[in-house]
Amino acid sequence: MRTNPGRFLSDLHELRQFGAAGVGKGVVRPAYSEADIAARVWLAQRFKEAGLTPHYDPMGTLFGLADGPSILLGSHSDSQPEGGWLDGALGVVAALEIARASKNAGGPAVSVVSFQDEEGRFGVTTGSTVWSGQLALEDADKLTDRDGMTLAEARSAMQPLLGAFVDPSRFTGFLEMHIEQGPWLDEAGESVGVVTDIVGIRDMRITYVGEQNHAGTTPMHLRRDAFQALGTFNAEINERFRNVVTPQTVWTIGHVKLYPDAHSIVPGKATFSMQWRDGDSARLGRMEEIIREVAEAVARERGLTVSFGQMLGLEPVRMDASLRAALEASAEEHADGAWRSMPSGALHDATNVSKHMPVAMLFVPSINGISHAFEEDTDEADLIKGLEVLAGAVARLG
Ligand code: GLV
Ligand code: MN
Ligand code: MN
């Protein structure tokens, strides 16, 4: 199978034009935005030209379907509120190139997918979570984004395009190529990582309600300040986690909304995201207990109320041994001495797809380990190396 690296890179650059923003190769293409939908329509046209049948499922996940049984390749084409040109897009465009190359070479049938809302505007890897059967569409529809819009409302923008769910039994397995989004390959000067496991995640919203009041006249001892509660909560969980976490465990408060959000008002309400990730489900559970205990204790001590939103989460997942072996053999051939096996600290659609079929993943380096930022980038030589390794694995599996 001969891939065409020039065509692959040119498609990647073209896809970046949908939502191109910020410095360098930044992208703003959140799920269901105008840029996201336009990018999907563009991809559907590329799939058609490649002899695949474009099909959107009810979530807006776009498939390019080969006839009959096939291997599924892909990732996602939505972005974070500020993201780079490769997170997700790389796996989709590499899949498209390999589908074309395999067809030309009379190789195995390859279908392509771009999952919707991998970046979790509404949930956590929402499109593939729904497709995997772990979340009913009616329940997903009630999820809200950070501005309070429901998923039902957002996906109505795609309504004329949407069809039925795709039967997963038509696929023999799933391979996802992605940027590493961490520092290890770049630091070691290696081109390829073959993923062993994907970590688990928990994610929820927490809300403190205290009392809104005047910032000049309210004495400190009478305040029920929701932001002060959040600050204390943050300091205390960092302390309490010490005996529970490992150097691989991570936790993040990435979104905070204060009400009414003004300099001269003691905030009466604070809503914030609490997310934590680890490779061990039991540890994720212990961390949840600590979070709930501390949040409630702080509320009691400061005279506020606390409430917890819907808990979203995915369990850690091990990659399929035989798909992984095909990637390793191909890495050995195309990136001899410059690849490693490694876990994934980022989440991926492959976690959910593993409910339906065997899955495996391949990483290429992220320059300076940066992602979920406009500065995200990868050397084009490494992008091409990853494409070759993935194509070699598909040929082996065929
Ligand atoms: C996916 O983008 C993640 O947050 O790991
Ligand atoms: Mn991604
Ligand atoms: Mn991402």
Side-chain angles (χ1 to χ4, degrees):
M1 182 191 318
R2 290 174 80 97
T3 54
N4 181 334
R7 180 171 61 178
F8 158 68
L9 289 176
S10 133
D11 281 345
L12 254 184
H13 284 283
E14 208 172 321
L15 178 52
R16 190 230 153 195
Q17 296 313 312
F18 297 93
V23 295
K25 298 171 185 159
V27 166
V28 174
R29 201 164 58 220
Y32 307 106
S33 63
E34 245 174 68
D36 169 59
I37 297 170
R40 283 171 197 273
V41 169
W42 177 84
L43 278 168
Q45 185 57 31
R46 294 282 92 79
F47 293 173
K48 206 164 169 183
E49 288 160 12
L52 303 168
T53 306
H55 178 91
Y56 297 88
D57 82 1
M59 279 291 292
T61 288
L62 170 64
F63 290 85
L65 297 170
D67 296 333
S70 59
I71 186 162
L72 182 65
L73 268 56
S75 188
H76 62 97
S77 52
D78 61 302
S79 84
Q80 286 286 328
E82 284 195 5
W85 69 306
L86 298 171
D87 181 356
L90 172 63
V92 176
V93 173
L96 166 64
E97 178 53 33
I98 291 171
R100 287 186 295 225
S102 192
K103 206 175 187 93
N104 282 345
V110 173
S111 292
V112 181
V113 65
S114 169
F115 286 103
Q116 183 54 292
D117 198 25
E118 192 275 349
E119 298 290 10
R121 174 177 167 192
F122 292 95
V124 172
T125 58
T126 329
S128 56
T129 300
V130 171
W131 188 51
S132 72
Q134 299 170 94
L135 177 66
L137 183 60
E138 309 82 76
D139 294 329
D141 266 343
K142 293 179 204 135
L143 295 169
T144 51
D145 72 0
R146 61 183 184 172
D147 298 317
M149 182 187 267
T150 63
L151 172 60
E153 229 175 305
R155 75 185 180 88
S156 68
M158 290 190 74
Q159 201 56 51
L161 298 170
L162 305 181
F165 283 112
V166 170
D167 179 358
S169 69
R170 63 185 293 146
F171 306 120
T172 53
F174 176 63
L175 292 176
E176 180 170 3
M177 174 173 163
H178 205 280
I179 48 169
E180 180 199 335
Q181 310 183 278
W184 307 116
L185 293 173
D186 189 47
E187 205 171 85
E190 293 168 341
S191 298
V192 168
V194 177
V195 176
T196 54
D197 310 85
I198 304 175
V199 297
I201 187 170
R202 299 287 182 275
D203 189 298
M204 68 175 163
R205 280 193 194 127
I206 302 179
T207 301
Y208 277 115
V209 176
E211 186 176 62
Q212 183 178 329
N213 210 337
H214 194 290
T217 56
T218 316
M220 297 310 282
H221 73 282
L222 289 182
R223 290 185 183 201
R224 292 193 286 131
D225 181 329
F227 177 73
Q228 291 296 331
L230 161 54
T232 306
F233 165 82
N234 180 54
E236 287 194 9
I237 55 162
N238 287 346
E239 201 52 43
R240 288 279 305 276
F241 280 169
R242 270 177 200 249
N243 295 327
V244 174
V245 300
T246 73
Q248 282 71 48
T249 315
V250 293
W251 60 98
T252 309
I253 296 175
H255 171 68
V256 173
K257 199 161 184 174
L258 297 180
Y259 296 86
D261 197 17
H263 289 217
S264 293
I265 303 180
V266 176
K269 181 168 155 188
T271 293
F272 58 100
S273 60
M274 180 72 227
Q275 186 189 86
W276 59 109
R277 308 188 190 204
D278 193 84
D280 176 4
S281 294
R283 185 171 294 108
L284 291 171
R286 179 73 194 112
M287 292 173 78
E288 179 186 353
E289 286 166 13
I290 293 174
I291 287 164
R292 289 183 190 270
E293 275 168 34
V294 170
E296 281 166 0
V298 170
R300 264 194 315 275
E301 284 155 19
R302 291 180 166 269
L304 289 85
T305 60
V306 66
S307 58
F308 302 96
Q310 188 179 345
M311 170 85 140
L312 300 170
L314 298 172
E315 298 310 311
V317 164
R318 183 156 280 269
M319 299 296 99
D320 175 76
S322 57
L323 291 185
R324 207 177 121 186
L327 288 169
E328 286 169 352
S330 185
E332 198 57 37
E333 182 186 340
H334 295 282
D336 187 16
W339 70 277
R340 67 167 68 189
S341 297
M342 62 189 297
S344 171
L347 275 186
H348 298 290
D349 292 304
T351 291
N352 295 317
V353 180
S354 75
K355 297 281 175 201
H356 286 315
M357 65 194 84
V359 304
M361 286 197 71
L362 180 68
F363 282 165
V364 292
S366 293
I367 295 172
N368 297 324
I370 300 209
S371 184
H372 286 187
F374 288 151
E375 290 77 7
E376 167 192 290
D377 206 0
T378 298
D379 201 312
E380 293 195 347
D382 288 327
L383 297 177
I384 292 167
K385 185 63 76 183
L387 178 73
E388 282 171 357
V389 171
L390 184 59
V394 170
R396 277 178 168 76
L397 291 164

